[in-house]
Amino acid sequence: MSHVAVSPAPRCPRLFVSRANRRGSKLQHSQSRSFMSLLVMALPWKHGIHLTLLLLSLLMPEVGASCQILRCNSDFVAATLDLGNSAGGGGASGGRGGASGLAALSREAVNTGYCGALRSYAMCTKRMARACRGDLAYHSAVQGIEDLLIQHHCPRAGPTAQPRPPPQGTLSGDACLYEKSLLAREGRAPEYLHCGVFGDPHVRTFNNDFQTCAVRGAWPLIDNEYLYVQATSTPARGGMHATVLTKITIIFKNWRQCVEQQLYQAEIDNVPAAFADGSVVSGERRGRHSLTVRTQSPGRHAEIRAAHIGTLLVVRQTGRSLGLSVRSPRGVVEAFGAEQDLQLCVWGCPASQTLNTLRPPLLPLDSHTVAGARAHCAALLPARGVYYQACVFDLIASGDFNSSAAAVSALQDAADMIRDARSVHLMPLAGAGSRRAPRGLLLLGMLGTLTTELFDLR
């Protein structure tokens, strides 16, 4: 597991987020707002800025086609990407005095570069002023830049950040093909892990834990160095207790010369067989593409292959809910730092948000209804397995027999993605739903405690 190095560079305050929270009545989830504020305040400035801009772009209302504020955000992230690392140097030779002097010089250089990046950011937002008038993300960025310029004593006039040069050197022929690259380096095939999210929602984690979550709003499923996946859960129509997945957002992060950042989004009745920019392939290298999208059922199914990280994602709509199935190498799944502690596919549901799949919601149903649900699911799925239990849970919670299709599809995806057939079926635990969450998984509003070590190293 990789860890984020703490550098003495300036930190990004939470003002980007806190100001947006006060004005953003349309943000998806109040807990997500609390999470952003606490996490950005605790993280080293570089990682705080990058996470803020990512979540801001996900949680804010859709930005119009003519407003390119997200491009300004991306340019700023690119301009500051290496500043934190450059501040960590200092040189072991030359004694303490020399090391201290070099460290101070490095910090001054970092702040100069940071101020230049902020001035470039401000110029970019000024160019967008007309097109972005009335856009919440734009106005939050403008105010955040103003406060940061003051906080870091940046002159209004001065040099701006230079565009990042293209990557130097060339990659080997198979560097953008994860399986072949790993075989060449280590002489072995990847160990693949599977995560599935479907129904009310139920989560099969990469560690083969199976849980039912009571979460609502937008929650991260995967958040590592290569990939960010977020799912939005909302109350189901007609169900007293049921919730369903209504939106899935996938971000493939920029990685070397293989692929530039790419976005995929799916919603109910709109599961596109293309990325957000309309393309179906991305990251061309020597006639091959790192990212491809295809479908077996237009509008209801999408299969995304990321060859550079050996990852397969399947998004599908069954009934009135979405589902996601992922197969990814262990080396990719575990490539995250301490600040990326909230991932439902890795850690499962927070303890306070976990339901017992063996005990469906208490509804005024007679025994015939319950027996009918069990019989219906038993005819479709192996009895006593977790997918059978999820099927019964969803059917009782929603009152819709069509909801059983989500568990059936999730089990089929698991069978397709898990090489060992004996590992496909999981048996429910007697204490399902009462498992304590891994250390660090608390309510989003309490996540300030996750970064205690980072605060101690300020």
Side-chain angles (χ1 to χ4, degrees), residues 22-42:
R22 292 195 292 268
R23 300 165 58 192
S25 60
K26 295 183 179 180
L27 289 183
Q28 296 175 350
H29 202 279
S30 61
Q31 289 180 324
S32 295
R33 297 197 299 265
S34 177
F35 167 59
M36 290 169 65
S37 296
L38 289 171
L39 190 54
V40 172
M41 180 175 62

